[in-house]
Amino acid sequence: MKRARIGPWIALTLGTLYFIVPLIATFEFSLRMRRGEYSFDAYRVVFADARFQATFGYSSLLALATIIVGVLLVVPTAYWVNLRLPKLRPVIEFITLLPLVIPAIVLVFGYLRLYNSESWLPMTGHEQATDLLLTFGYVTLALPYMYRAVDNGLRAIDVRTLTEAAQSLGAGWPTILFRVILPNVRVAVLSGAFLTFAIVIGEFTMAALLNRPAFGPYLQLIGANRAYEPSALAIIAFAVTWACMGLINLVGRGARTAAPAP
Amino acid sequence: MAFLEIDHLRKAFGQITVVEDFNLAIERGEFVSFLGPSGCGKTTTLRMVAGFESPTSGIIRIDGKDVTEAKPNQRNVGMVFQSYALFPNMTIAENVGFGLKVAGRPAGEIKTRVEEMLALIKLPQVGGRYPYQLSGGQQQRVALARALAIKPKVLLLDEPLSALDAKIRVSLRQEIRQIQRELGITAIYVTHDQEEALSISDRIVVMSQGRMEQVGTPFEIYNYPRTRFVASFVGTLNVLKGQVVDAAAGKVTIDGQPIASASHLNGAKPGEACSIALRPEAVSLTDPTSGANSLQGMVEEVSFLGSVVRIRVRFGENAISLDTFNKPSVAPPAWGTKVTVSFARDALLVLDGAEAA
Ligand SMILES: Nc1ncnc2c1ncn2[C@@H]1O[C@H](COP(=O)(O)OP(=O)(O)OP(=O)(O)O)[C@@H](O)[C@H]1O
Ligand SMILES: [Mg+2]
């Protein structure tokens, strides 16, 4: 009995140590800016840095735009595939998985070739146009997560019958989509949204190569030039990601207690 | 002109025809059931009326208007689904009021109508609840209220009770029928349960393999089935194999014993095999009155069903099940007893010659 239980505990302990020790070490190091005592000076410096505020704000804004574009793209597509084109599901799933296989660097070089200032559509020539390009890039990166989340949500409800019920009551497509389908996959959409947010906040390659002032490149810049601040930033980035995960759980649980599936 | 007309309706999925030459005229306020085994095309026909499937050919008219090509949300047809299909994110009141809200009715009117509908289904208190907080039977009543709230021209119900247990099925079907009568709404009810169809319909359409087998009142369908399929699908039926003696006089022998039918056997030759059917309740264990048929046999099985006792009597190759009412004063016959069964001449149903095998 005793021995059978020890094995899993050892595995769990080793796993936990593997993840926790570097995190604790980083945190500990980030507190050592002031000589001889622990302090949050590194954090104070980071938060006071105008570039931190600017890049974090910029990335948050882009994350928001990415989420909106992503939801508007993915929800109707996944809905239509579920409703009318179930045979196409494997194809669509394959397409949504492609961003995991194709590195972001390939994608962004493709962008630069297609949309550079000498091309027929010189999007990289203007800041706003580049932002748009970056948003679309982010939508692509987040696609596997967003699509899977929404598709799972749609499979949990009887899309076809709900659609037909709404139709027979006189509803048109916009009403069905926004008043019947979307509210019933709200939790799925939100978890897709938080994942998207976490991805966009930490993304480096695209923003750097498109030369936009995003949070990812800022992290890299600080990391290359400072001692304590990068550790503080790493902890902050962790906190943001975990906050997103926590929100996914919270929203999921909240929705379940408020209106559990029948 | 009838209120709902279905004219030469046909539906094929690819190469496979699932509904063929469907013709039906339904009067205003009529309650019609589509009855048939699984896969016979009942749902497909109903969905064409609702607009969820478009017919391969044929015409559907509602209240004189051709709606064959109209979209489902422009037909003003109410639909009740087997799986209830209430919107999980909305309260009961919001569900019932959905159609009116979509139509842009003022909030006050919606509120009044919702209350009226909830009173109609005898669930006036549940407006603030969510669908998952109701039982299956209650959810289906709400679905009915939701479909009726928009005052549809036609109410369509696709096996609305098959997800519920037996007791609720019986009470709810009566409630549906009563509400339908009260509102005078035209209704089509799809079911594969013959008892359900017989008990609540004005008329029944019996379907098999995409074809209409027979259309008639429950009385007609049960007592005068026109095809062998209808006879065997609706109710219990004894099918006897006999030999023709005199086709014109309707004379036949069953395992060597002569009987006569009131109807003649169209064009059969003496000595040929024929099929004859009898309802269990048309047969009695008493001695024949004058002119009635009788057969001698042996009691093979006795099943006590409560108010009715079902007895099977064997004659040779053939056997008959018959129903007698339970009388506490008279014990049913013992197994192996020799008995005489009798039945009227006009109780015999001569089944389609072509299908008699
Ligand atoms: N979308 C479709 N594509 C291909 N075949 C279909 C489709 N819908 C129905 N069918 C076929 O049409 C036939 C009739 O189906 P339908 O659903 O109308 O039967 P039903 O009488 O309602 O049966 P049940 O009592 O099982 O509900 C079936 O053989 C079915 O396989
Ligand atoms: Mg069906």
Side-chain angles (χ1 to χ4, degrees):
Chain A
M1 275 308 275
K2 201 94 199 181
R3 188 172 293 172
R5 276 202 197 146
I6 278 177
W9 277 114
I10 292 176
L12 191 68
T13 313
L14 283 179
T16 312
L17 289 178
Y18 185 86
F19 286 108
I20 293 282
V21 168
L23 202 61
I24 292 179
T26 309
F27 182 60
E28 199 262 357
F29 185 70
S30 74
L31 299 179
R32 288 216 294 214
M33 196 174 194
R34 199 175 297 174
R35 208 168 279 270
E37 58 173 324
Y38 287 144
S39 73
F40 284 98
D41 281 3
Y43 294 86
R44 213 166 295 132
V45 172
V46 165
F47 284 123
D49 186 351
R51 284 174 306 168
F52 169 81
Q53 292 160 12
T55 54
F56 196 81
Y58 175 83
S59 281
S60 302
L61 203 67
L62 245 63
L64 207 66
T66 306
I67 288 165
I68 292 171
V69 175
V71 168
L72 289 180
L73 180 74
V74 167
V75 173
T77 310
Y79 169 64
W80 202 249
V81 169
N82 265 288
L83 187 68
R84 291 286 154 85
L85 309 165
K87 281 197 199 112
L88 231 61
R89 175 177 282 153
V91 180
I92 303 281
E93 274 188 356
F94 179 74
I95 293 173
T96 60
L97 280 177
L98 283 179
L100 291 181
V101 185
I102 299 172
I105 188 128
V106 175
L107 211 67
V108 77
F109 270 113
Y111 278 176
L112 287 173
R113 278 200 72 133
L114 270 176
Y115 304 115
N116 65 48
S117 37
E118 270 105 62
S119 72
W120 59 279
L121 191 62
M123 283 182 85
T124 54
H126 308 270
E127 286 192 354
Q128 273 90 23
T130 313
D131 288 345
L132 202 63
L133 207 56
L134 193 54
T135 305
F136 291 154
Y138 287 159
V139 169
T140 314
L141 284 187
L143 194 61
Y145 308 97
M146 188 55 117
Y147 185 84
R148 226 136 297 265
V150 171
D151 193 49
N152 281 341
L154 285 171
R155 282 200 222 188
I157 59 172
D158 185 350
V159 170
R160 192 171 115 149
T161 316
L162 288 182
T163 301
E164 288 177 353
Q167 276 182 315
S168 73
L169 292 166
W173 291 116
T175 311
I176 295 173
L177 211 52
F178 288 103
R179 300 258 301 279
V180 177
I181 299 301
L182 204 53
N184 283 307
V185 294
R186 198 188 86 233
V187 175
V189 168
L190 279 176
S191 61
F194 292 131
L195 282 172
T196 305
F197 189 85
I199 291 168
V200 172
I201 284 295
E203 207 282 335
F204 169 75
T205 318
M206 285 197 168
L209 288 174
L210 288 175
N211 200 22
R212 297 303 297 147
F215 190 58
Y218 170 74
L219 274 181
Q220 194 275 337
L221 181 76
I222 297 297
N225 297 306
R226 306 295 293 260
Y228 299 100
E229 288 88 339
S231 304
L233 274 172
I235 295 297
I236 292 169
F238 248 106
V240 169
T241 313
W242 280 4
C244 285
M245 296 296 182
L247 279 176
I248 295 176
N249 270 317
L250 212 67
V251 167
R253 199 171 318 131
R256 239 169 284 139
T257 42
Chain B
M1 200 163 63
F3 187 68
L4 171 61
E5 290 181 311
I6 303 176
D7 202 6
H8 289 96
L9 200 64
R10 192 176 99 83
K11 177 70 183 177
F13 289 109
Q15 295 296 307
I16 303 154
T17 302
V18 295
V19 176
E20 218 166 331
D21 199 29
F22 195 98
N23 295 286
L24 187 65
I26 300 177
E27 297 303 325
R28 194 187 288 268
E30 204 178 4
F31 192 106
V32 174
S33 291
F34 292 175
L35 174 66
S38 187
C40 70
K42 309 179 294 286
T43 296
T44 306
T45 310
L46 197 75
R47 288 171 61 81
M48 286 192 278
V49 176
F52 300 134
E53 304 279 359
S54 64
T56 308
S57 62
I59 293 171
I60 298 167
R61 276 186 221 95
I62 298 175
D63 203 3
K65 205 171 125 219
D66 184 344
V67 297
T68 317
E69 299 300 326
K71 294 204 175 77
N73 58 354
Q74 287 154 5
R75 293 195 183 198
N76 199 14
V77 161
M79 182 99 183
V80 177
F81 300 85
Q82 181 180 339
S83 55
Y84 325 136
L86 295 178
F87 306 127
N89 59 312
M90 299 180 201
T91 62
I92 299 307
E94 285 167 344
N95 264 281
V96 176
F98 182 83
L100 298 169
K101 197 160 176 197
V102 166
R105 316 300 311 173
E109 183 192 321
I110 297 177
K111 191 164 173 286
T112 318
R113 181 79 180 148
V114 167
E115 277 165 12
E116 199 180 306
M117 286 292 114
L118 291 180
L120 185 71
I121 58 166
K122 303 197 184 76
L123 291 173
Q125 308 297 339
V126 303
R129 291 202 217 159
Y130 282 89
Y132 74 92
Q133 293 170 314
L134 301 187
S135 73
Q138 290 172 327
Q139 287 189 51
Q140 195 57 299
R141 272 144 77 186
V142 172
L144 180 68
R146 181 180 68 176
L148 290 171
I150 56 169
K151 300 191 175 156
K153 291 193 148 128
V154 182
L155 178 66
L156 307 176
L157 307 105
D158 190 358
E159 311 214 18
L161 306 178
S162 41
L164 301 170
D165 61 54
K167 263 229 166 81
I168 297 172
R169 270 213 297 271
V170 172
S171 67
L172 196 49
R173 80 184 183 211
Q174 253 118 29
E175 199 174 324
I176 290 176
R177 175 60 158 152
Q178 193 212 323
I179 288 172
Q180 180 268 337
R181 265 216 187 103
E182 212 171 298
L183 302 179
I185 189 168
T186 312
I188 303 180
Y189 188 101
V190 163
T191 179
H192 59 254
D193 181 341
Q194 42 115 355
E195 187 196 315
E196 209 165 277
L198 289 169
S199 64
I200 58 174
S201 316
D202 287 320
R203 273 194 302 160
I204 298 174
V205 179
V206 184
M207 297 177 68
S208 161
Q209 297 181 5
R211 292 170 189 282
M212 309 171 77
E213 290 277 331
Q214 189 174 352
V215 183
T217 63
F219 184 84
E220 287 165 357
I221 296 279
Y222 188 85
N223 292 309
Y224 306 104
R226 218 175 293 137
T227 66
R228 182 173 189 156
F229 175 82
V230 176
S232 58
F233 190 74
V234 181
T236 317
L237 196 72
N238 296 297
V239 178
L240 304 174
K241 282 184 188 143
Q243 278 194 316
V244 177
V245 174
D246 182 348
K251 289 200 169 128
V252 182
T253 60
I254 302 288
D255 290 322
Q257 304 185 50
I259 59 167
S261 153
S263 50
H264 47 84
L265 306 142
N266 22 352
K269 291 184 194 69
E272 265 183 3
C274 65
S275 284
I276 274 176
L278 259 177
R279 294 281 183 209
E281 67 274 19
V283 186
S284 70
L285 262 188
T286 52
D287 285 333
T289 51
S290 65
N293 289 303
S294 69
L295 288 170
Q296 260 114 50
M298 195 193 281
V299 175
E300 188 180 54
E301 200 181 305
V302 179
S303 330
F304 191 76
L305 305 176
S307 63
V308 168
V309 184
R310 177 158 292 182
I311 299 165
R312 194 160 75 227
V313 179
R314 181 161 289 282
F315 310 105
E317 190 196 350
N318 291 295
I320 283 182
S321 286
L322 62 96
D323 289 349
T324 58
F325 281 113
N326 169 43
K327 280 188 223 117
S329 52
V330 186
W335 294 30
T337 330
K338 283 207 157 62
V339 290
T340 302
V341 300
S342 62
F343 43 89
R345 287 177 168 222
D346 57 7
L348 283 171
L349 308 165
V350 177
L351 302 176
D352 280 7
E355 286 170 271

